[in-house]
Each structure stands twice: as structure tokens, then as C-alpha cells.
């Protein structure tokens, strides 16, 4: 949930996308992100923050253990999120 939420706000606030478009793009990003992209993304985002780095390394380790190239491709990770009140 943290990954998709961060990406939602990136698309909505920084890229100025409508909430529905931002959520869809965040879902697609999470669905399609590869292990290597995820590692790079998380370690860059958390650099210099020890507690966040530890959490990021945990997510990276978890993704590395997955047998798929795209560790969050299963809809269980991204399909259940909806917009309410926008």
C-alpha cells in the first residue's frame, strides 16, 4: 500500500494528473515494476534515512525471493485500491 500511495501522490501532485488517472498510473507502475527497478527506486527514495532504508531493504529482499520478474504483478497488490470522495 505504501508503494502505490507514494506513486499516486507523485502522479497527482507532481505530474498534475487527475486523481483517477493518477491512481490508474500508480496501479500500472506497481503491476509492471521489475525487481531491478524496484531496488533502484526504493534505495534512491530512502537514502540517508536509516529506518526507511531498512524497510526498503526488507521490501527488496521480499521481491528478490519472488520467482517472477514483476513481483507485484498479481492484482492482489494493486486492484483493490479505489478513490472515494473525489
Amino acid at each position: 500500500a505504501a508503494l502505490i500511495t507514494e506513486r499516486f501522490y507523485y502522479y497527482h501532485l507532481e505530474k498534475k494528473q487527475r486523481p483517477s488517472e493518477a491512481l490508474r498510473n500508480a496501479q500500472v507502475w506497481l503491476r509492471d515494476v521489475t525487481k531491478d527497478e524496484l531496488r533502484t527506486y526504493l534505495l534512491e527514495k530512502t537514502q540517508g534515512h536509516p529506518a526507511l532504508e531498512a524497510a526498503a531493504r526488507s521490501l527488496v529482499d521480499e521481491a528478490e525471493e519472488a520467482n517472477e520478474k514483476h513481483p507485484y504483478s498479481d492484482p492482489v497488490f494493486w486492484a483493490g485500491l479505489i478513490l472515494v470522495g473525489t
Side-chain angles (χ1 to χ4, degrees), residues 54-66:
R57 289 191 189 286
S58 176
L59 282 174
V60 168
D61 291 345
E62 189 177 287
E64 288 294 331
E65 292 175 10

Side-chain angles (χ1 to χ4, degrees), residues 19 21 30 41 47 81:
E21 183 180 14
L30 189 60
Y41 172 79
Q47 190 172 22
L81 298 165

Side-chain angles (χ1 to χ4, degrees), residues 9-40:
Y9 282 109
Y10 165 76
Y11 288 120
H12 180 53
L13 299 177
E14 292 185 35
K15 295 293 186 179
K16 308 294 185 206
Q17 295 178 353
R18 294 184 328 265
S20 58
E21 183 180 14
L23 178 58
R24 176 67 183 139
N25 286 332
Q27 289 172 318
V28 169
W29 177 84
L30 189 60
R31 181 194 69 197
D32 295 344
V33 71
T34 66
K35 291 178 188 181
D36 292 337
E37 292 168 339
L38 184 64
R39 180 185 317 102
T40 300

